[in-house]
Amino acid sequence: MSESKQRGAHVAVLYQAIEPPVINGNKKAMKPGGYQDSGADITFALQSRGIEVLTPKSSPDPSSPPGWTFPDTEEGILSALQKGATHLWANTILFSAHPLQNSEVIAQYPVSVVGQPPKLVENYDDKEYVNNKLRKLGSLTLPRGWTVHASENVENNLSELNLPFPIVAKPIRGRGSHGVKVCHDLPSLQAHTVILLRESSSIMLEEYLSGEEGTITVMPPTESIPHYYSLPIITRFNHHDGVAPYNGTVAVTANSRVVTRKEYEKDPAYEKVSEECEVVAGLLKATAPIRIDVRRFNGEKGCKFALFDVNVKPNMTGPGRPGREDQACLSAMAAAERGWDYPELLLKMLDSAVPLRRLRSMDSGL
């Protein structure tokens, strides 16, 4: 999208107001606040660059998230469209029954969307589905994995798997570090499995990767860059019991940093895993940035990375509003190393907007 087209855009940012449905017995936990915090950051930052961003309130308070974004209900989306929105920023969790996918009234508007195809997100939010599909390709590096279904004999079933402890147990439709735990023995795994199965009918187990953790943002093709490309890797540290803490508890700027160019040059594993992440983005036909969490199998120098979590709706908080100076998300930290500030990253995302009609018709590459 050229600068003149950006200037002509009328953007409305959506937040999560719809409870995600239960899909195949599993449900993604709703985000407290429905991403209104990052939605307010996005709106404020785009406005600072002269982009027309519509808001439900005429003058929302910069220090408070409410009032900057529209609910992702049919009524909320129509309110934005009736105010003149030409671009909807889907800062929310999508699924096949979402109004962006199936509302006939919304379909009547010639609007573009910053976000992923809702039908595909429903599949890709299933971590088990994505990882199993990627494993079957044989060309990508992933940890070993197992699926556990709810049953009266679940504790016995776990013991029969002869798992290589420690093991990571987590929800199939996870959000951040919610429900993720490193279990060092069978009793702790059995206890945590019982807790997880109260929320869903099945869970996933993964081989624990003990080496360096990183995260890679992959940007979608645009007119100016017609291919998928990764931003610099962010390395993570100061884990809590082997798991990166929720960013709402510990700002990622306090436990993450960019991998330097010198580190890239000394260790080919960084470039190799970045290339694998770009392949994944292409397979998923991502139409907006995705973020993939990776870890080395162990702490040995030069050990290869494995891809363990594909996130099609990465967090997009950033500085700008009062009191948000330390709230740069992982993707924004990576973008800064490329020379983009937070508003510039958002403008790149706006460039990737796809007409709603096309978004609705897209099929999975997996």
Side-chain angles (χ1 to χ4, degrees):
M1 184 186 295
S2 65
E3 184 175 345
S4 60
K5 287 183 179 179
Q6 287 181 347
R7 298 300 176 190
H10 291 69
V11 180
V13 181
L14 307 179
Y15 73 86
Q16 183 187 34
I18 302 175
E19 188 87 20
V22 176
I23 301 170
N24 297 326
N26 300 304
K27 183 177 180 180
K28 190 180 185 81
M30 192 162 181
K31 172 73 182 290
Y35 304 99
Q36 289 186 80
D37 54 349
S38 56
D41 293 340
I42 292 167
T43 301
F44 189 90
L46 287 175
Q47 288 179 342
S48 75
R49 289 298 173 88
I51 302 298
E52 181 70 27
V53 188
L54 308 171
T55 56
K57 295 182 178 180
S58 58
S59 299
D61 180 0
S63 64
S64 179
W68 289 91
T69 54
F70 294 84
D72 66 342
T73 59
E74 182 178 63
E75 181 181 4
I77 295 171
L78 287 174
S79 172
L81 293 171
Q82 289 161 2
K83 282 179 174 284
T86 61
H87 291 69
L88 298 172
W89 194 295
N91 190 46
T92 183
I93 300 302
L94 301 174
F95 41 87
S96 61
H98 195 278
L100 276 180
Q101 179 64 40
N102 62 14
S103 169
E104 295 181 2
V105 183
I106 291 173
Q108 297 174 14
Y109 289 81
V111 66
S112 292
V113 178
V114 177
Q116 310 287 4
K119 288 191 299 184
L120 302 193
V121 174
E122 180 166 311
N123 289 336
Y124 300 160
D125 263 342
D126 184 323
K127 311 292 185 180
E128 176 196 38
Y129 171 86
V130 172
N131 285 7
N132 285 344
K133 288 285 189 179
L134 296 178
R135 283 191 192 96
K136 288 180 180 178
L137 294 174
S139 57
L140 300 169
T141 311
L142 285 94
R144 288 175 290 170
W146 301 262
T147 305
V148 176
H149 303 286
S151 73
E152 294 181 359
N153 300 316
V154 66
E155 294 185 0
N156 289 334
N157 293 343
L158 288 170
S159 64
E160 292 173 359
L161 291 175
N162 294 317
L163 296 165
F165 288 95
I167 282 288
V168 180
K170 59 186 181 182
I172 284 177
R173 290 188 175 272
R175 178 184 57 77
S177 58
H178 173 80
V180 180
K181 183 176 181 178
V182 178
C183 301
H184 294 273
D185 52 38
L186 183 59
S188 65
L189 175 60
Q190 290 171 328
H192 190 56
T193 297
V194 170
I195 293 171
L196 291 178
L197 289 176
R198 291 172 186 164
E199 298 182 359
S200 300
S201 63
S202 55
I203 65 169
M204 57 191 294
L205 310 179
E206 281 183 348
E207 168 188 10
Y208 177 63
L209 307 172
S210 60
E212 175 190 10
E213 180 172 338
T215 191
I216 300 171
T217 298
V218 183
M219 300 294 289
T222 60
E223 291 181 7
S224 58
I225 305 179
H227 58 80
Y228 292 99
Y229 61 101
S230 57
L231 299 183
I233 298 177
I234 301 294
T235 187
R236 313 292 309 277
F237 46 86
N238 293 342
H239 291 64
H240 292 175
D241 298 323
V243 178
Y246 169 52
N247 67 288
T249 304
V250 179
V252 295
T253 51
N255 60 16
S256 313
R257 67 168 180 83
V258 178
V259 173
T260 66
R261 175 47 53 187
K262 185 175 291 187
E263 289 174 304
Y264 265 86
E265 293 171 352
K266 288 183 177 180
D267 190 345
Y270 289 119
E271 195 66 44
K272 174 67 166 59
V273 73
S274 294
E275 292 171 355
E276 288 198 20
C277 290
E278 291 168 6
V279 169
V280 171
L283 290 169
L284 300 182
K285 297 183 179 178
T287 52
I290 66 170
R291 209 190 70 233
I292 301 178
D293 295 332
V294 302
R295 265 200 184 195
R296 298 185 195 262
F297 283 92
N298 55 55
E300 294 180 8
K301 185 177 180 180
C303 178
K304 66 181 179 181
F305 286 92
L307 287 58
F308 71 89
D309 188 67
V310 178
N311 185 351
V312 294
K313 195 270 172 222
N315 178 38
M316 274 298 154
T317 56
R321 296 188 297 120
R324 303 288 289 176
E325 292 79 12
D326 65 346
Q327 290 302 307
C329 63
L330 294 163
S331 298
M333 291 175 64
E337 182 67 11
R338 195 179 171 99
W340 306 341
D341 60 11
Y342 176 59
E344 185 65 22
L345 169 63
L346 300 178
L347 290 175
K348 300 294 184 185
M349 293 177 65
L350 183 57
D351 283 348
S352 70
V354 176
L356 178 60
R357 185 181 300 249
R358 179 186 157 207
L359 208 69
R360 287 183 167 195
S361 66
M362 289 185 68
D363 293 318
S364 173
L366 285 182

